[in-house]
Amino acid sequence: MRILVSGGLGFIGHEVVKQLEGHDVMVIDSMTNYDFIPLDQMMKLFQMRQGDLRNQVPTRRIDIRDRSTVQKCLMDFQPEVVIHLASFPRQKVVLQNPSVASEVMTTGLINLLEASKGIANKFVYISSSMVYGDFNDRVPETQECKPRGQYAIMKYMGEKLVEDYKEYFEYVILRPSAVYGPRDVEDRVLSKFVLNALRGKTIEVRGADEILDFTYVTDTAQGIALASTKSCPHDIYNITRCESQPITLHMAAKQVVELLGKGEIELVDRDQNFPSRGRLDITRARNDLGYKPEVDFAEGCQQYVEWMKSVYDTVYKS
């Protein structure tokens, strides 16, 4: 199967490409640091991800805001499936430059959708659990979406744009949550916990009892690969770990301190600018796709901490 992956050198994207082994895959990626992540760190991570793919996958450096370049790429490659991961990664990064974020997350998406018409048979859009807004535990895909914040609003708007192209190709929308693991940048929750401890800084936990559906990156990639290569009876799937025991932010911080043998935790009130979340119901993905997340939080956190320790001096030390 010929599969194009936008954002295929990203944290999640390069793991998806690895799980698509045996298919004819092309990667497009802008290789940006969003004017937010330290450039030197970002370039080292891109090099690691490229090395992880062993240069077996053709890669083109493309800005998806450039309509003509996107169109030519798809015309040349003729993908049967398009997996769209390229995006600003989270609310904090979006707020640094919302106009550029909108160009990437909306105009870029439309460019890729338009270019896919008459070429692709299936379009896979990677959304986010943030589209639900505030929600209770084990939320299903049928839950009404009430996105809060520009990142979540743009992701949900993207879902609606994808749905509007249903006459041209099949589509599936995937909603991951709290992805973590090796080769990630330093500005996600768990990476900040680990790096603050390594740097001798306090681990600030904003909302001790807040639950995140922490999902190891290979499990997220597994779900995306399955949804991209199998028939999908439904249009939307939650793709998370959904631990049997909910993992709170305080529990995650304590796990990091235990694994590193150091670190001070400070508990503060949760950030009211962000929604309160829990676990997502993944029954639909399990039944329809055979999705089986394999890495529980204890194992995943240990693997991640060990990796961070091994590359700290060369990638993250400041």
Side-chain angles (χ1 to χ4, degrees):
M1 189 178 294
R2 296 173 70 82
I3 304 174
L4 183 137
V5 183
S6 78
L9 288 181
F11 167 50
I12 299 173
H14 90 285
E15 289 288 353
V16 172
V17 173
K18 287 167 63 178
Q19 297 210 20
L20 292 172
E21 185 177 0
H23 296 279
D24 186 2
V25 179
M26 171 176 276
V27 165
I28 62 173
D29 201 298
S30 67
M31 297 184 69
T32 183
N33 71 331
Y34 314 101
D35 292 326
F36 185 79
I37 306 301
L39 184 58
D40 183 59
Q41 177 190 127
M42 195 74 255
M43 290 303 104
K44 288 176 181 176
L45 290 171
F46 276 128
Q47 290 170 5
M48 286 183 175
R49 295 165 188 167
Q50 285 179 305
D52 208 28
L53 298 178
R54 300 191 179 97
N55 299 316
Q56 296 176 349
V57 179
T59 301
R60 294 184 62 181
R61 190 167 186 173
I62 288 176
D63 187 334
I64 60 171
R65 295 175 295 175
D66 185 337
R67 180 178 58 84
S68 61
T69 303
V70 171
Q71 183 72 54
K72 186 178 186 307
C73 179
L74 268 76
M75 288 290 291
D76 291 344
F77 186 59
Q78 294 286 310
E80 298 164 73
V81 177
V82 173
I83 303 175
H84 183 43
L85 278 147
S87 171
F88 269 45
R90 54 198 167 278
Q91 172 76 349
K92 189 174 181 180
V93 184
V94 168
L95 291 178
Q96 293 295 311
N97 201 333
S99 60
V100 176
S102 177
E103 290 173 6
V104 172
M105 297 175 71
T106 304
T107 304
L109 170 59
I110 291 173
N111 288 342
L112 203 53
L113 287 166
E114 284 289 315
S116 299
K117 286 162 56 174
I119 297 177
N121 300 321
K122 188 175 189 177
F123 194 97
V124 182
Y125 176 69
I126 313 306
S127 184
S128 168
S129 63
M130 295 288 283
V131 300
Y132 292 115
D134 293 293
F135 63 84
N136 295 321
D137 201 29
R138 292 190 182 275
V139 63
E141 293 86 348
T142 53
Q143 174 87 10
E144 181 183 3
C145 290
K146 297 180 179 179
R148 290 178 52 198
Q150 293 184 25
Y151 171 78
I153 290 168
M154 290 181 196
K155 278 294 188 183
Y156 188 58
M157 183 167 60
E159 292 188 7
K160 295 304 172 185
L161 286 170
V162 172
E163 290 175 5
D164 197 49
Y165 280 76
K166 61 186 176 184
E167 65 182 282
Y168 300 106
F169 36 68
E170 296 179 17
Y171 72 85
V172 61
I173 293 164
L174 305 179
R175 294 171 176 164
S177 182
V179 186
Y180 71 99
R183 301 173 189 84
D184 193 9
V185 296
E186 67 172 63
D187 192 52
R188 254 183 274 267
V189 172
L190 202 60
S191 57
K192 286 194 287 188
F193 286 178
V194 176
L195 287 170
N196 278 356
L198 289 172
R199 291 167 177 166
K201 298 180 180 179
T202 300
I203 298 174
E204 186 179 79
V205 177
R206 307 199 70 174
D209 296 326
E210 288 296 299
I211 296 168
L212 281 187
D213 204 349
F214 287 105
T215 309
Y216 201 68
V217 63
T218 53
D219 284 336
T220 303
Q222 177 208 146
I224 294 171
L226 285 170
S228 302
T229 56
K230 298 185 69 169
S231 175
C232 298
H234 292 90
D235 297 333
I236 301 174
Y237 292 92
N238 293 328
I239 300 294
T240 69
R241 166 67 188 180
C242 194
E243 295 274 358
S244 56
Q245 178 187 5
I247 306 296
T248 67
L249 290 180
H250 193 196
M251 290 168 62
K254 288 194 291 185
Q255 182 84 351
V256 167
V257 169
E258 180 179 341
L259 289 168
L260 287 172
K262 62 179 179 179
E264 297 293 328
I265 298 172
E266 180 183 2
L267 304 181
V268 299
D269 292 339
R270 82 174 186 90
D271 189 340
Q272 297 295 327
N273 293 315
F274 291 85
S276 183
R277 297 183 287 165
R279 293 171 297 178
L280 276 63
D281 187 332
I282 59 172
T283 302
R284 180 183 285 185
R286 287 185 186 276
N287 292 342
D288 289 0
L289 308 176
Y291 174 55
K292 296 178 181 179
E294 299 172 346
V295 184
D296 65 24
F297 183 73
E299 177 187 357
C301 191
Q302 181 174 9
Q303 291 180 13
Y304 184 42
V305 166
E306 290 302 316
W307 182 84
M308 289 283 271
K309 287 165 58 179
S310 72
V311 301
Y312 174 68
D313 286 340
T314 57
V315 179
Y316 298 101
K317 193 170 185 178
S318 61

